[in-house]
Amino acid sequence: MGHIRVLPDHLANQIAAGEVVERPVSAVKELLENSLDAGADHIRLAIEAGGKRKIAIWDNGHGMDHDDCLMAFERHATSKLTRAEDLFSIRTLGFRGEALPSIASVSRMTLESRTPEATVGVRVTLRGSKIEQVTEVACPVGTHVNVGGLFFNIPARRKFMRRTETELSWIVNLVTQYSFAHLDKRFVLESDGRTLFDVTPVTSLKERIYQHFGKDMMRHMLDLDQHCDWLHLSGMISTPNYFKTSRSHQYLFVNGRLVRDKVLSHAISEAYRGFGEGHTHPVIFLFVHVPSAEVDVNVHPAKTEVKFIQGAWVHDRVRDVLRERLVAQPLTVTYRVRTPPVIARQTSLDDRTQNHGPLFTPNDDNPYQRFVARHEVDHTSQPSHIEEPVAAVADKPLFHAEPSLQNPRVIGQFRDSYILAQDREHLYVIDQHVAHERILYDQINATLLSGSFERQKLLIPETVEMTRAQMIDFESLEPLFTRFGFDVGALDDRTCVVREVPAFLTSRQVGPLVVELVEKARGQRDDAAVEAIIDLLAATRACKAAIKINMRLTAEKMQHLIDQLWSSSSPLFCPHGRPIALTMTNDEIERNFLRK
Ligand code: ADP
Ligand code: MG
């Protein structure tokens, strides 16, 4: 007798669940999509313990009759697809017929549903795929699904769930995101008996953004509505001076489906290139509409990824449309130089265009970057003792192999901004601002870790507006805020108050910083959250206090700076990888003068 068997249904469902239902938020996504596909315009979700204990959803969609309520739990049972060709013209969010059986196989589920024609509804109770009871029930038209004890029968999966706050904040984000794609619908989200939001139907995206994020964000948003051939792009994008520290404020929809898409994300970064970079991300609500034949939505079991048939073309159109919209803005922007911790200076677009070439010139077109690029290439072909300083300095002290060598000596200052220095083998051009920033960063980092810093009460406590999702993260991060010198508290579910801060921060507005801290630390494990907070505080303080460019320094001061810098473990790069010093080796100089 052979060894091959067909898997029993409940096992096949559990395996499918592994792909479809990774964690509570994936179950919420499937249930929400089913309600939207059913034509509901009022959807209410009640979550308990971040979805781990309970996910309940009520919709006023078309409902299901008795037979469909049972059919829905068969694997690959769907009302949305009948022929293979339909796969290429999908207009619904679901189509694989996997979600309900998958979720049911890893939970205790109850489904109640009634169609408009029926006088009475049906209730189906299941436990890990097994239908336990089917009864009549008095209920309104529409569907109610209750998912309890997610992964109760798969302990290994239970372990992978994160803290309640983390799981909840993903759910809040998801429902928020869907509410942007469905302006004409009402979404209510409750968690452990508390209403997190209740957004009523609106007629414009602007109003929806306002409902969730308040007026501050609105002031920084540009609307978008552009056709390119068969591609239609609409939505809102942030002005060049408004950034977030994570991509969590980028909402991408393709034909109404919420997606993560590398093609679109890359096009967005390209469009904003030259404004904020590295650790900063614009706020984006982008709705991409394409004919269904131009996009394959069936490339991922959770349907969160799509594949554009003409990916490169879509990429370039998105990049160009966004870029044109940004350039058309007569604005004053904050010009952020490369990665944090450096926020260099205020300058107007006109100013930048005159002084630094065209606004959107890619970085590697400017002479400084060209120098760095050439320099790096040259070094890879150098003998190892020269290659080391530039390529591998981050984790090694420089030059310790030759104690005979001293720290570089100052030669002079170039344009009151760059320190020129030399040692036996190298000529250095050191950015005085970034160098000082590096030194301060190390110092503050050490102080924060040791906890030996002053705290100071604010004269006037500052209130900070946040989104509900941020507030949830904020509440779970409160102990960390306290540890790092903040006295903070929630005022209501959208506002917190800051009463006390580390003394080194009193000179600045702390509101935006608190929001940034929440964004940086959200969803991280404890040690990573601590690291993120220290990093941001140190970088913020270092940037503010560091010697600026365009400041004349005495030779003594410059030498002191270099000596301090060289005693750090990584004198040539700032903590985020930005170069502090350009080096040119003797060998390079000789070769460039054709002496070799
Ligand atoms: P899919 O959405 O891919 O079709 P599901 O397993 O999510 O697969 O759902 C199976 C079927 O159950 C759907 O095709 C739909 O007919 C029905 N269904 C599920 N949820 C609802 C709902 N909230 N309202 C009405 N019908 C629903
Ligand atoms: Mg579905």
Side-chain angles (χ1 to χ4, degrees):
M1 193 169 132
H3 296 286
I4 303 176
R5 313 219 186 307
V6 173
L7 288 175
D9 264 359
H10 73 273
L11 203 54
N13 285 336
Q14 282 194 357
I15 292 169
E19 293 171 316
V20 181
V21 197
E22 224 185 325
R23 50 181 63 259
V25 67
S26 13
V28 172
K29 174 176 178 290
E30 295 295 341
L31 296 173
L32 196 61
E33 291 190 344
N34 279 347
S35 296
L36 292 166
D37 282 343
D41 64 6
H42 183 172
I43 297 170
R44 180 178 150 225
L45 266 153
I47 304 298
E48 281 178 22
K52 294 190 263 189
R53 193 180 315 136
K54 188 174 115 178
I55 300 166
I57 185 165
W58 292 261
D59 70 49
N60 63 349
H62 57 56
M64 284 176 272
D65 64 17
H66 177 277
D67 290 354
D68 278 354
C69 279
L70 295 176
M71 243 338 244
F73 292 99
E74 296 290 326
R75 229 157 98 71
H76 304 304
T78 177
S79 56
K80 303 168 192 175
L81 198 68
T82 42
R83 303 167 309 158
E85 305 88 84
D86 295 345
L87 253 186
F88 303 100
S89 56
I90 287 169
R91 286 181 212 288
T92 49
L93 295 165
F95 53 86
R96 297 170 57 110
E98 283 182 317
L100 283 184
S102 298
I103 301 170
S105 73
V106 292
S107 68
R108 298 183 198 95
M109 190 193 269
T110 310
L111 176 138
E112 292 177 6
S113 197
R114 176 157 85 87
T115 59
E117 300 79 33
T119 48
V120 65
V122 186
R123 175 191 284 158
V124 185
T125 315
L126 302 96
R127 191 187 155 90
S129 278
K130 197 166 158 284
I131 296 185
E132 294 203 315
Q133 210 178 27
V134 183
T135 52
E136 287 193 339
V137 63
C139 63
V141 171
T143 303
H144 164 48
V145 181
N146 190 325
V147 177
L150 195 62
F151 303 131
F152 81 99
N153 50 355
I154 312 188
R157 296 301 294 264
R158 265 205 315 272
K159 273 198 246 147
F160 280 106
M161 290 198 276
R162 294 278 191 90
R163 285 185 318 197
T164 293
E165 301 80 17
T166 309
E167 296 290 350
L168 178 62
S169 85
W170 279 328
I171 293 173
V172 178
N173 258 324
L174 178 97
V175 186
T176 305
Q177 290 177 345
Y178 269 99
S179 77
F180 286 116
H182 298 271
L183 303 177
D184 53 345
K185 295 167 189 154
R186 176 172 173 192
F187 293 84
V188 184
L189 178 60
E190 294 160 18
S191 162
D192 297 324
R194 202 158 60 128
T195 303
L196 297 183
F197 60 71
D198 178 352
V199 289
T200 47
V202 286
T203 50
S204 70
L205 179 63
K206 228 179 176 147
E207 291 167 84
R208 189 65 107 206
I209 296 177
Y210 179 80
Q211 285 175 327
H212 283 292
F213 301 112
K215 60 179 179 304
D216 183 51
M217 183 182 284
M218 275 323 301
R219 282 187 294 146
H220 300 279
M221 300 303 290
L222 308 170
D223 51 1
L224 195 73
D225 189 5
Q226 184 88 31
H227 290 269
C228 301
D229 219 334
W230 45 258
L231 178 73
H232 178 208
L233 300 174
S234 65
M236 298 198 95
I237 61 172
S238 63
T239 52
N241 56 338
Y242 192 69
F243 285 96
K244 298 286 177 189
T245 46
S246 76
R247 271 191 222 276
S248 65
H249 282 81
Q250 298 193 354
Y251 305 88
L252 310 178
F253 298 88
V254 174
N255 293 351
R257 181 186 302 280
L258 180 69
V259 296
R260 285 191 297 251
D261 184 66
K262 289 206 183 75
V263 169
L264 296 178
S265 296
H266 189 262
I268 291 165
S269 322
E270 289 274 296
Y272 280 82
R273 196 180 321 204
F275 290 123
E277 283 176 55
H279 298 261
T280 54
H281 303 281
V283 178
I284 303 282
F285 300 89
L286 182 63
F287 297 85
V288 179
H289 313 274
V290 298
S292 36
E294 286 294 341
V295 63
D296 185 356
V297 294
N298 191 24
V299 289
H300 189 274
K303 301 167 273 122
T304 46
E305 285 168 28
V306 293
K307 187 171 181 307
F308 291 106
I309 310 301
Q310 304 184 50
W313 187 85
V314 171
H315 172 276
D316 291 358
R317 295 296 81 66
V318 171
R319 179 198 59 201
D320 295 347
V321 166
L322 262 61
R323 185 182 290 198
E324 275 159 28
R325 186 70 184 90
L326 293 170
V327 180
Q329 269 306 296
L331 276 175
T332 296
V333 301
T334 309
Y335 180 37
R336 291 171 189 236
V337 181
R338 294 170 62 86
T339 56
V342 184
I343 298 170
R345 66 197 180 101
Q346 288 276 337
T347 178
S348 74
L349 287 184
D350 290 350
D351 181 28
R352 289 189 59 194
T353 315
Q354 279 162 19
N355 295 334
H356 304 278
L359 183 60
F360 284 103
T361 305
N363 277 338
D364 46 8
D365 271 7
N366 80 39
Y368 166 86
Q369 288 298 322
R370 268 207 306 274
F371 179 87
V372 175
R374 200 178 53 226
H375 191 74
E376 280 170 358
V377 170
D378 278 350
H379 269 288
T380 54
S381 59
Q382 293 302 314
S384 61
H385 73 283
I386 300 171
E387 185 181 324
E388 292 281 28
V390 172
V393 74
D395 48 5
K396 265 188 213 166
L398 265 187
F399 307 130
H400 287 183
E402 299 177 72
S404 65
L405 280 182
Q406 308 225 315
N407 291 347
R409 310 310 302 169
V410 169
I411 306 171
Q413 194 182 18
F414 177 60
R415 304 190 67 170
D416 292 345
S417 301
Y418 304 99
I419 302 168
L420 305 179
Q422 63 174 335
D423 60 24
R424 214 178 59 193
E425 273 301 320
H426 307 85
L427 170 67
Y428 297 92
V429 183
I430 298 167
D431 183 320
Q432 63 194 36
H433 173 71
V434 189
H436 194 209
E437 214 173 45
R438 164 88 225 183
I439 295 163
L440 291 174
Y441 177 91
D442 282 357
Q443 288 170 356
I444 299 161
N445 216 317
T447 318
L448 282 169
L449 269 179
S450 68
S452 56
F453 53 88
E454 303 274 317
R455 291 148 205 260
Q456 191 163 333
K457 284 221 173 321
L458 296 178
L459 271 180
I460 306 165
E462 214 175 301
T463 53
V464 188
E465 235 187 82
M466 293 196 220
T467 64
R468 307 265 154 121
Q470 285 168 339
M471 271 311 278
I472 289 165
D473 291 318
F474 167 80
E475 280 169 20
S476 70
L477 289 167
E478 256 190 70
L480 280 186
F481 272 104
T482 311
R483 169 170 165 192
F484 291 111
F486 290 82
D487 176 6
V488 288
L491 278 188
D492 57 40
D493 51 14
R494 283 279 290 274
T495 330
C496 78
V497 61
V498 186
R499 303 179 202 92
E500 193 176 53
V501 296
F504 63 79
L505 286 177
T506 37
S507 59
R508 56 171 283 153
Q509 239 208 327
V510 289
L513 181 67
V514 168
V515 177
E516 220 179 315
L517 286 168
V518 171
E519 282 287 319
K520 277 242 151 166
R522 77 187 321 172
Q524 310 244 35
R525 291 181 190 286
D526 287 348
D527 47 346
V530 166
E531 214 170 278
I533 289 180
I534 291 186
D535 191 68
L536 183 58
L537 289 177
T540 304
R541 169 60 180 163
C543 178
K544 181 93 179 161
I547 295 166
K548 302 287 180 284
I549 57 163
N550 293 315
M551 184 186 272
R552 188 158 301 169
L553 302 177
T554 63
E556 290 73 34
K557 179 102 192 163
M558 289 192 278
Q559 189 62 51
H560 182 62
L561 209 65
I562 287 178
D563 290 342
Q564 279 187 299
L565 184 64
W566 251 256
S567 68
S568 79
S569 60
S570 171
L572 293 193
F573 288 92
C574 86
H576 298 97
R578 184 175 181 224
I580 295 173
L582 306 179
T583 59
M584 219 190 272
T585 62
N586 190 25
D587 185 65
E588 272 176 317
I589 293 172
E590 289 187 347
R591 273 194 295 121
N592 279 306
F593 284 118
L594 307 180
R595 288 180 184 276
K596 271 193 167 180

